[in-house]
Amino acid sequence: MGASAVINIIETPEDVAAGAAALSATCPRLAQAYAQVGPLPLRRRPDGFAELLSAIVSQQVSVASANAIWGRMQAANLTAPGPILAAGDDGLRAAGLSRQKIRYAQELARAGISFDALREAPADEVIKILTQVPGIGTWTAEIYAMFSLGHADVFAHGDLALQEAARLLYDLPGRPRERDMREIASAWSPWRSVAARLLWAYYSHEKQREGIR
């Protein structure tokens, strides 16, 4: 596995499989879930400004709308800080951004984030830096650390699907809240990102099998 002395990075499907095996060895219920859902996806994504901008574009709109807007932005070369700032409000509005998302895009462009430095930073620092930018919440920052940077030990504690999957898997009386998920997920370190992949897969499996209440 690619790693530094401090940060474990998921780079290949074999890394994900190693994490799933370790989780299965420590928790029978995770082992049961893994047996049901099979190999887990790598789900690595690009990193950098455009990936975060795309996440902002996708907020609170349908997948089809997000894809259409992002396609217009790509066609207009509005995927880097300089062009975003040069386009002004009118140029970004013409691409389909709302007033709020125009502000978020411009704030991201002005933030001066060193994406090279983020690759070497611990996950907590990545999340702290990203969430200082308006329009980037904790969930978006966690997903970026997990899939764009490949951190092996990050978990999206506020994700409703993960919470519901934990409820189903552990027969909990109700869906755990974010602080409860932090306590539950602490047992899955140093493979919390793989646990998230497993729970998302388990959620999908259970939803298809019997529906999610």
Side-chain angles (χ1 to χ4, degrees):
M1 179 190 302
S4 70
V6 177
I7 306 170
N8 288 333
I9 300 298
I10 291 173
E11 295 178 334
T12 68
E14 290 74 23
D15 295 337
V16 178
L23 291 166
S24 296
T26 60
C27 175
R29 300 225 180 181
L30 289 179
Q32 172 192 341
Y34 188 44
Q36 290 177 319
V37 303
L40 301 174
L42 178 60
R43 295 182 69 162
R44 281 299 303 266
R45 302 174 180 173
D47 71 328
F49 179 88
E51 187 69 17
L52 284 172
L53 181 61
S54 176
I56 289 172
V57 168
S58 298
Q59 291 172 0
Q60 298 179 324
V61 297
S62 69
V63 172
S65 294
N67 288 341
I69 296 168
W70 186 242
R72 288 196 292 271
M73 294 184 70
Q74 288 177 312
N77 293 317
L78 295 175
T79 59
I84 288 291
L85 296 176
D89 290 7
D90 290 343
L92 297 177
R93 190 177 300 111
L97 293 188
S98 65
R99 181 192 303 178
Q100 185 179 58
K101 289 184 180 179
I102 288 170
R103 182 172 78 86
Y104 291 163
Q106 292 170 339
E107 292 279 5
L108 179 61
R110 294 189 187 104
I113 295 170
S114 170
F115 292 98
D116 288 342
L118 284 189
R119 293 176 187 148
E120 307 300 325
D124 288 350
E125 184 177 340
V126 171
I127 293 166
K128 180 180 178 181
I129 289 170
L130 294 184
T131 54
Q132 289 174 353
V133 180
I136 298 179
T138 301
W139 183 89
T140 298
E142 289 167 340
I143 295 299
Y144 184 88
M146 209 183 294
F147 298 129
S148 290
L149 299 179
H151 282 269
D153 200 28
V154 178
F155 195 86
H157 304 92
D159 187 280
L160 296 181
L162 294 180
Q163 293 171 356
E164 182 65 10
R167 182 189 74 80
L168 292 166
L169 185 60
Y170 291 100
D171 296 322
L172 301 177
R175 192 170 67 206
R177 293 170 292 182
E178 182 171 346
R179 73 165 179 258
D180 301 319
M181 280 305 309
R182 289 187 181 277
E183 182 175 349
I184 293 169
S186 66
W188 303 330
S189 184
W191 291 107
R192 282 177 286 186
S193 292
V194 178
R197 287 168 170 84
L198 178 52
L199 288 179
W200 274 314
Y202 181 72
Y203 174 85
S204 179
H205 175 272
E206 290 297 294
K207 184 176 182 181
Q208 292 172 6
R209 186 170 69 86
E210 60 185 16
I212 295 295
R213 295 188 298 275

